[in-house]
Amino acid sequence: MSYGSVNSSQDPGKEPTAHVQSSQVRDDGFESGASTSTDEQTDGGTSVREGEEEEERRSSLQKLKGFYERNLGLFFVFLAQVFGSLMTTATRLLETGFDTKFHALQIILVRMLATSVLGCLYMWYKKVPDFPLGRRDVRGLLVLRGLAGFTGLFALYYSLSYLNISDATVISFLVPTMTAFICFVALREPFTVREATAGLVAFLGVLFIARPTFLFPQDSEEVPEEDETRLFVADEPKGIVPSVPATSAERSVAVLLCVIGTFAAAAAYSTIRVIGKRAHSLVSVNYFAVLATVGSFLIILIHPDLRFEVPQSGLQWALLVAIGIAGFLLQFLLTEGLQREKAGRATNLIYTQMVFALILERVVWGTTPPAESLFGSALIIGSAIWVSLQKNKPAQDQKAPIVDEERSLLGAATAAAPPARQDGEN
């Protein structure tokens, strides 16, 4: 009995052991299934996150692409102003920064020769209509436009011998007001009281830049130092090149010449408005470049006091080449930029020339314009922007037409204005 009871107690004990083992197996199976489900959820979450990250990357790329497409024109105009400022700096260095000084006409010859050659090649490649002479009925106007542009460019470059590049640059912003006045007189286009007021304010700014002695008396006449400027003078701590001195009389004459140059440029722009769409803009630019090249060459050849200077150093050669390349890039980038961008945004960016001019003056010559020049510059730029904003109001969504380098100074005033009525047009 006792053995039987013992045996019976042991047998039931074995069954629970088997039951425990089977339950452990079932528990292990459950844990394994739970682990598999968790892994699947983890993989699913990872794929979802990867999909979201991919969408975010695509969205970022689309936003970047949209930003690029929206602002490519502005970027081109910005680069054009950089090249324009560098070209003006190189011009002043060649005119004043070496023992062998280059005349403005020779610099124009080099720059416009490069522009005309590269421009002709570009128009031939693109098969521009009516290349190279344009339509017969507008060739006289194209010649007038080229001669007026050449006069304006010569006045600007010659004034750089006595003016800082910031002063010469800001005076060129008188062009919109002058063009509006010429179009009012010659083409009977509207010339509002606001435009006239802005013009008077701008000319007041010119007086602050010129600082004539009868308005700004001085204790003693400024006498320029002996002209022994050489590039990279070691004892000049402020800038790379010593500053170029000029008397009040020289400054006044240079400012007057610069104003005459802006008037000539305005006459060129008015002629462009008369030409309208009858000639491709690049054909107009080519007339300007070719006539400036031929005109400067003939004047240097005929004038007894002028002669062709040969660069005496590699740096002078580099500056001449840089002027030619920068001149073409300035033209090309402005044309491309203003084709892609609305008139108001693009043309207002042209006023960044003044910022670049101030920076380059400080770095290269170590000079900063006096308070009078800065105040006059503010008056000129403010009046020009004010006129541009007034012109932009009725045509904010209008795209800018193709313009050339000098015409771009008209800003939105020209781009937004209606084209002049021409023969044969309704």
Side-chain angles (χ1 to χ4, degrees):
M1 293 290 296
S2 62
Y3 289 105
S5 63
V6 171
N7 289 338
S8 64
S9 64
Q10 287 179 352
D11 291 339
K14 290 181 181 178
E15 291 179 358
T17 303
H19 177 72
V20 170
Q21 290 178 352
S22 63
S23 66
Q24 288 177 353
V25 171
R26 287 196 299 270
D27 291 342
D28 292 342
F30 175 78
E31 291 176 0
S32 175
S35 174
T36 303
S37 176
T38 303
D39 292 342
E40 290 177 354
Q41 292 178 357
T42 303
D43 293 340
T46 303
S47 61
V48 170
R49 284 196 299 271
E50 289 178 352
E52 292 177 351
E53 291 175 357
E54 182 67 23
E55 289 181 0
E56 289 179 359
R57 282 195 296 268
R58 289 179 181 177
S59 177
S60 300
L61 289 175
Q62 289 177 354
K63 290 180 180 179
L64 184 61
K65 183 179 179 181
F67 178 83
Y68 170 81
E69 292 175 350
R70 288 193 307 271
N71 297 285
L72 181 60
L74 285 180
F75 181 67
F76 282 163
V77 175
F78 176 81
L79 284 181
Q81 306 318 306
V82 174
F83 282 113
S85 299
L86 292 175
M87 182 179 61
T88 305
T89 303
T91 298
R92 192 162 193 253
L93 282 173
L94 287 173
E95 290 181 355
T96 62
F98 297 88
D99 290 334
T100 301
K101 293 176 174 56
F102 287 77
H103 195 271
L105 287 171
Q106 185 170 350
I107 298 175
I108 292 174
L109 173 63
V110 172
R111 178 198 162 180
M112 288 306 178
L113 178 61
T115 301
S116 59
V117 171
L118 295 175
C120 286
L121 291 175
Y122 181 81
M123 285 188 287
W124 172 79
Y125 177 75
K126 290 291 186 179
K127 294 180 173 56
V128 172
D130 300 317
F131 168 74
L133 298 178
R135 286 171 46 175
R136 186 180 298 274
D137 58 334
V138 295
R139 289 176 184 173
L141 292 173
L142 288 170
V143 171
L144 178 61
R145 177 265 182 273
L147 293 176
F150 170 47
T151 303
L153 187 62
F154 167 74
L156 171 63
Y157 277 17
Y158 188 81
S159 66
L160 289 172
S161 298
Y162 305 103
L163 287 179
N164 296 332
I165 58 175
S166 59
D167 292 340
T169 297
V170 78
I171 291 175
S172 67
F173 295 152
L174 292 173
V175 171
T177 302
M178 286 188 173
T179 304
F181 178 74
I182 292 176
C183 289
F184 168 72
V185 174
L187 305 178
R188 296 293 185 265
E189 292 188 359
F191 186 66
T192 65
V193 176
R194 292 181 178 179
E195 290 174 326
T197 303
L200 292 176
V201 172
F203 275 103
L204 180 63
V206 171
L207 290 178
F208 276 92
I209 292 175
R211 299 190 295 278
T213 54
F214 66 90
L215 290 178
F216 297 85
Q218 299 176 352
D219 296 334
S220 60
E221 182 72 12
E222 296 181 13
V223 179
E225 300 175 0
E226 185 178 355
D227 194 0
E228 295 180 351
T229 57
R230 291 180 175 85
L231 200 61
F232 303 115
V233 175
D235 58 352
E236 183 64 35
K238 293 184 178 180
I240 301 174
V241 181
S243 60
V244 182
T247 64
S248 297
E250 289 172 338
R251 282 185 56 85
S252 298
V253 171
V255 169
L256 177 61
L257 187 62
C258 203
V259 172
I260 294 174
T262 58
F263 183 81
Y269 310 145
S270 302
T271 306
I272 291 173
R273 289 180 60 77
V274 175
I275 295 172
K277 296 181 180 180
R278 292 181 290 175
H280 195 279
S281 62
L282 294 178
V283 174
S284 174
V285 172
N286 199 49
Y287 264 86
F288 169 46
V290 171
L291 288 174
T293 301
V294 175
S296 57
F297 176 79
L298 292 178
I299 294 175
I300 295 175
L301 193 64
I302 296 173
H303 199 287
D305 296 333
L306 298 178
R307 61 191 180 93
F308 293 96
E309 298 289 348
V310 179
Q312 301 297 317
S313 66
L315 185 56
Q316 286 182 314
W317 279 108
L319 289 173
L320 281 174
V321 172
I323 287 174
I325 296 175
F328 176 75
L329 289 176
L330 167 63
Q331 176 61 64
F332 178 79
L333 290 170
L334 269 178
T335 301
E336 292 295 320
L338 293 173
Q339 274 184 305
R340 289 173 166 82
E341 189 50 68
K342 295 179 182 178
R345 294 180 70 206
T347 51
N348 286 334
L349 194 63
I350 291 173
Y351 297 111
T352 56
Q353 287 183 63
M354 187 63 186
V355 178
F356 297 138
L358 291 172
I359 294 173
L360 289 170
E361 273 185 13
R362 186 62 183 172
V363 172
V364 178
W365 288 278
T367 59
T368 302
E372 295 87 351
S373 288
L374 293 176
F375 180 70
S377 300
L379 291 178
I380 294 174
I381 295 177
S383 62
I385 293 177
W386 185 44
V387 171
S388 297
L389 293 176
Q390 299 300 320
K391 290 286 187 178
N392 277 335
K393 285 182 179 179
Q396 292 180 350
D397 295 332
Q398 184 176 358
K399 274 203 169 186
I402 302 175
V403 296
D404 57 50
E405 169 203 343
E406 284 72 25
R407 189 179 180 184
S408 69
L409 291 174
L410 289 174
T414 296
R421 184 179 296 273
Q422 302 167 7
D423 296 337
E425 292 185 354
N426 296 327

